[in-house]
Amino acid sequence: MMLACQLFVSVVRNSRTLSRLVTTWSPVGAAFNAQQRKVDLFQKNVGLFGVPGLSTPAGFEVAQQRALRETEQLVETACNNPPGALTVETFDQLSDSLCKVADLADFVKVGHPDPAFRDAAEKACINIGTVVERLNTNVELCRSLKNLLDNKEVLDSLDPDTRRVAELFMFDFEISGIHLDESKRGKAVSLNVNLLDLNNEFLNGTHLPNRIEKTALPEHIRHCFSIDGNSIQIGGLHADSPDELVREAAYKIFLYPNSSLLLCLDDLLTCRNELAKLVGYESFAHRALNGTMAKTPETVMKFLELLTDKLSDRTAKDFNLMRDMKMKMNSRSTELMPWDHSYFSSAVRAERYKIDPSLYSPYFSLGACMEGLNMLFSQLLGVSFQNEQPMAGEVWSEEVRKLAVVHETEGLLGYIYCDFFRRPDKPHQDCHFTIQGGRLKEDGKYQHPVVVLMLSLPPPTRSTPTLLNPGMMENLFHEMGHAMHSMLGRTRYQHVTGTRCSTDFAEVPSILMEFFATDYRVVNQFARHYQTGQPLPKSMVSRLCESKRICGAADTQLQVFYAALDQVYHGKPQNRSTTDILKKMQEKFYGLPYVPNTAWQLRFSHLIGYGAKYYSYLMSRAIASMVWRQCFQKDPFNRDMGERYRREMLAHGGSKEPMLMVQGMLQSSPTIEELVDALVADLDTDSVTCRDDSS
């Protein structure tokens, strides 16, 4: 049994009483509800993530050079050895050597507070990316793999995982144009390298604020924005502002078209399409969806259109509810506009169910939520967290916590670095980053996976722990779903470890965790008032769950619009501007009017990491819903079902066809119609997540 440690001793004084409020937490809960112990400055700097060379930004150059030397040796080994399992193992070592630098740099370039580290990491990403593109068009290297795949006797001797990984490596060659003549292969490399630059340019541009002369805005709303001399800087939509004029101004200014970024997006989409056509695909979407659950853009559009049809009446009803609320609140205009959606959907929920996030937050201290996750994983999967003190130089901020993930019989599974708290220059987004993939090493030992979870939570103070609102709590559970996928996807090969799988499958474990996060039986295990220790009342959980269905159809339809826009942008060229395409898609798939002189697509950062795959969130949610209802709704702590979930869905990473993993869990392969029905059912029916049916 874990030793409980005292965390807070709060002294509450008033004119008559002096009371002492004591709350106890497990070591994991205490680690997140207390301020982090300072690192010993006299310790030797071990480098970021314990990588010795990364104690300074210059270490990235050293790491790149080491990876390049290893790459040369491994390419030579792969090309000179006879075809067999060793060929695949060598390819995986090659992948691992490059990914150890690229993945780590991919996080550091956005997460490190030191600009010098960020710049060095960004250069490393581009340099390693260029090397990868050249390797993907290396004819001799490809021939060594083709010799294996063409040799039936050798191929039949391989185990299924090794054969699958060999096929995936060959797929990477094929989509890079290995079958082309030398000049066209060179063109493919050039396009890929150009895309690296365009991706960075567009992604950076999506986050840049827009400026406007201070005098252009009414004086009474200027204080709502960042004032810089004679100009006002607007870096977001302010969608939750109660002032309609603030929302409207933020929407029109933040989304005002940037001509250079519009050109960048045009070049990006043109370059992607040119590359896809060059290597033999109808469009970039066809290339991107090869190997996914959906498989083709036609299937994705069928899914989105069928979902739109099923939601149409519900979406219209939701928008009417928002319009009625807007009229009731005496707004300047009764027409519902895009800047109204988030605010009035929240207002409708709050009015119907009296949802005030601040009433929930005292029950969701970060420590309590981490305890809840620890207890859930322990019961469901036999996995627990152990807090570890980082060494000097191991983390990039003293607020980062390090967790060892330990299985009750298998021992250490890997490490999660928890970068949860806000700080200047840190992106306001919730992300999971793979730093090191798991794999079986040549000496027979397992290379433990290492990941970072990045959130944007308020830091604790001396007297108050970090308190999460319900949305923050769900996001924590969501990202931890990704982390556990990384920890438990213990594949033989790094190339397919953990979340290195089809994008429309990778979101299933994370979204499934959201169902656990809103089940009273789960919440009741950990939601305690951080001062009194009182449990969160069941009625508050029920109201929260029920409120999520209000305006849920309109919220889902907005995601459908984003997914459809993404598909059209990456389909066959339209010979129209991206803004004209946006207007048409908004009219067909959303329902609220396009606002002239705006370009929302320039803030659509998912076009980079999720190009042609934004639909994945919806399809994964449908799968997760079906898994929840069939496997966990009756008993969210069922260990047998937890082991089946690990065995069928988590353990394989990307080493198994995604739909085969779904089929193993659900005992059938869902149709598009069944996926749509699962999403609609979540909006329509009472759910066990809102009540305790354990009796």
Side-chain angles (χ1 to χ4, degrees), residues 161 221 275 644:
D161 285 358
I221 68 168
L275 176 63
R644 177 168 140 192

Side-chain angles (χ1 to χ4, degrees), residues 467-513:
L467 302 178
L468 282 62
N469 62 38
M472 292 174 179
M473 185 270 285
E474 281 190 43
N475 287 346
L476 171 62
F477 271 63
H478 177 103
E479 298 303 333
M480 197 57 77
H482 284 308
M484 294 311 294
H485 195 184
S486 291
M487 295 298 111
L488 292 169
R490 291 173 70 79
T491 53
R492 178 178 174 184
Y493 297 104
Q494 181 273 160
H495 193 63
V496 290
T497 187
T499 57
R500 298 198 205 282
C501 59
S502 164
T503 306
D504 53 8
F505 181 83
E507 292 296 330
V508 174
S510 54
I511 293 173
L512 180 62
M513 285 301 298

Side-chain angles (χ1 to χ4, degrees), residues 506-549:
E507 292 296 330
V508 174
S510 54
I511 293 173
L512 180 62
M513 285 301 298
E514 296 176 24
F515 287 88
F516 285 96
T518 50
D519 185 287
Y520 179 71
R521 295 161 295 180
V522 175
V523 173
N524 189 49
Q525 283 206 330
F526 70 87
R528 297 286 183 273
H529 197 287
Y530 78 99
Q531 290 176 311
T532 67
Q534 290 297 308
L536 179 66
K538 184 177 176 181
S539 60
M540 289 179 68
V541 179
S542 297
R543 289 205 309 273
L544 184 65
C545 294
E546 290 161 8
S547 72
K548 291 176 71 174
R549 291 201 299 275

Side-chain angles (χ1 to χ4, degrees), residues 174-469:
E174 289 170 351
I175 65 172
S176 297
I178 195 68
H179 53 286
L180 303 174
D181 61 39
E182 187 175 351
S183 66
K184 288 182 179 178
R185 284 199 307 275
K187 176 68 172 174
V189 171
S190 177
L191 288 169
N192 273 308
V193 171
N194 191 27
L195 277 172
L196 292 174
D197 293 332
L198 290 168
N199 287 344
N200 278 330
E201 182 183 347
F202 183 76
L203 191 59
N204 290 334
T206 62
H207 302 302
L208 290 178
N210 276 343
R211 290 176 177 271
I212 192 170
E213 287 294 318
K214 190 164 62 175
T215 54
L217 288 182
E219 189 172 354
H220 71 280
I221 68 168
R222 293 174 191 169
H223 70 280
C224 298
F225 307 109
S226 176
I227 299 176
D228 184 11
N230 291 323
S231 65
I232 286 177
Q233 185 171 279
I234 298 181
L237 292 173
H238 293 253
D240 297 325
S241 172
D243 190 319
E244 182 180 6
L245 192 56
V246 169
R247 296 196 307 275
E248 180 180 352
Y251 189 94
K252 290 181 175 178
I253 296 168
F254 185 60
L255 299 185
Y256 189 79
N258 176 310
S259 57
S260 63
L261 202 58
L262 281 169
L263 285 174
C264 176
L265 179 57
D266 286 342
D267 290 344
L268 174 67
L269 297 177
T270 299
C271 194
R272 284 178 172 176
N273 182 68
E274 190 176 348
L275 176 63
K277 299 279 282 186
L278 181 66
V279 299
Y281 289 89
E282 285 183 56
S283 69
F284 182 82
H286 285 87
R287 178 179 184 262
L289 295 180
N290 201 326
T292 63
M293 285 195 292
K295 298 191 181 302
T296 68
E298 292 77 17
T299 300
V300 173
M301 289 308 294
K302 178 183 176 183
F303 171 64
L304 297 175
E305 288 169 351
L306 184 58
L307 183 55
T308 297
D309 289 342
K310 286 286 185 81
L311 290 178
S312 60
D313 291 343
R314 298 167 180 83
T315 302
K317 180 181 176 183
D318 286 352
F319 283 142
N320 285 334
L321 285 174
M322 294 181 213
R323 286 188 188 93
D324 291 344
M325 179 60 70
K326 188 171 184 177
M327 292 177 66
K328 186 185 293 187
M329 295 177 74
N330 298 314
S331 294
R332 295 179 302 115
S333 166
T334 57
E335 184 179 8
L336 194 67
M337 299 298 291
W339 56 77
D340 292 326
H341 183 146
S342 177
Y343 179 75
F344 285 110
S345 63
S346 297
V348 171
R349 293 185 191 106
E351 181 186 67
R352 288 203 174 190
Y353 293 101
K354 304 295 184 285
I355 300 297
D356 181 353
S358 66
L359 297 178
Y360 288 82
S361 295
Y363 297 92
F364 292 143
S365 71
L366 179 56
C369 294
M370 292 303 295
E371 273 196 357
L373 286 162
N374 198 30
M375 288 187 286
L376 176 62
F377 292 142
S378 178
Q379 294 173 77
L380 203 60
L381 298 162
V383 169
S384 62
F385 299 143
Q386 293 179 8
N387 184 57
E388 290 195 2
Q389 180 68 21
M391 302 290 285
E394 185 178 354
V395 295
W396 48 99
S397 167
E398 63 183 19
E399 297 300 329
V400 175
R401 271 61 164 176
K402 179 184 179 183
L403 293 178
V405 181
V406 181
H407 190 272
E408 60 191 16
T409 59
E410 299 168 29
L412 179 67
L413 297 180
Y415 294 99
I416 303 173
Y417 289 83
C418 301
D419 187 0
F420 286 171
F421 304 115
R422 297 170 189 154
R423 61 176 177 271
D425 293 329
K426 179 182 174 182
H428 290 280
Q429 58 191 55
D430 299 338
C431 301
H432 163 275
F433 293 88
T434 296
I435 303 299
Q436 174 175 278
R439 73 181 183 99
L440 187 63
K441 296 192 290 186
E442 296 69 50
D443 60 6
K445 295 179 181 177
Y446 198 79
Q447 175 174 290
H448 297 301
V450 177
V451 304
V452 171
L453 293 190
M454 189 165 74
L455 305 179
S456 188
L457 305 175
T461 66
R462 285 189 172 186
S463 60
T464 309
T466 292
L467 302 178
L468 282 62
N469 62 38

Side-chain angles (χ1 to χ4, degrees), residues 587-690:
E587 180 182 342
K588 180 177 179 181
F589 285 101
Y590 187 24
L592 297 185
Y594 167 77
V595 178
N597 295 314
T598 63
W600 178 85
Q601 72 272 24
L602 300 184
R603 302 298 181 179
F604 196 6
S605 59
H606 282 81
L607 288 175
I608 301 306
Y610 281 74
K613 297 180 182 179
Y614 191 83
Y615 77 92
S616 296
Y617 288 107
L618 289 166
M619 190 166 282
S620 290
R621 181 166 294 281
I623 297 288
S625 175
M626 296 177 78
V627 171
W628 171 259
R629 289 173 184 276
Q630 292 184 33
C631 306
F632 295 110
Q633 191 176 57
K634 185 177 180 181
D635 177 7
F637 308 112
N638 186 310
R639 181 62 180 270
D640 290 339
M641 199 58 73
E643 292 296 339
R644 177 168 140 192
Y645 174 51
R646 178 185 180 182
R647 183 175 64 251
E648 298 293 347
M649 297 192 80
L650 298 180
H652 304 286
S655 66
K656 194 173 180 180
E657 285 281 350
M659 194 52 82
L660 290 178
M661 292 188 275
V662 173
Q663 183 179 332
M665 192 68 195
L666 297 177
Q667 307 297 299
S668 66
S669 296
T671 64
I672 291 297
E673 290 76 14
E674 287 170 335
L675 293 175
V676 168
D677 288 344
L679 291 172
V680 174
D682 283 342
L683 299 173
D684 282 355
T685 60
D686 287 335
S687 169
V688 174
T689 57
C690 299

Side-chain angles (χ1 to χ4, degrees), residues 84-92 145 148 158 162 165-166 169 493:
L86 181 60
T87 306
V88 183
E89 291 169 12
T90 304
F91 267 77
D92 195 61
L145 189 64
L148 181 152
L158 302 180
T162 301
V165 171
F169 277 123
Y493 297 104

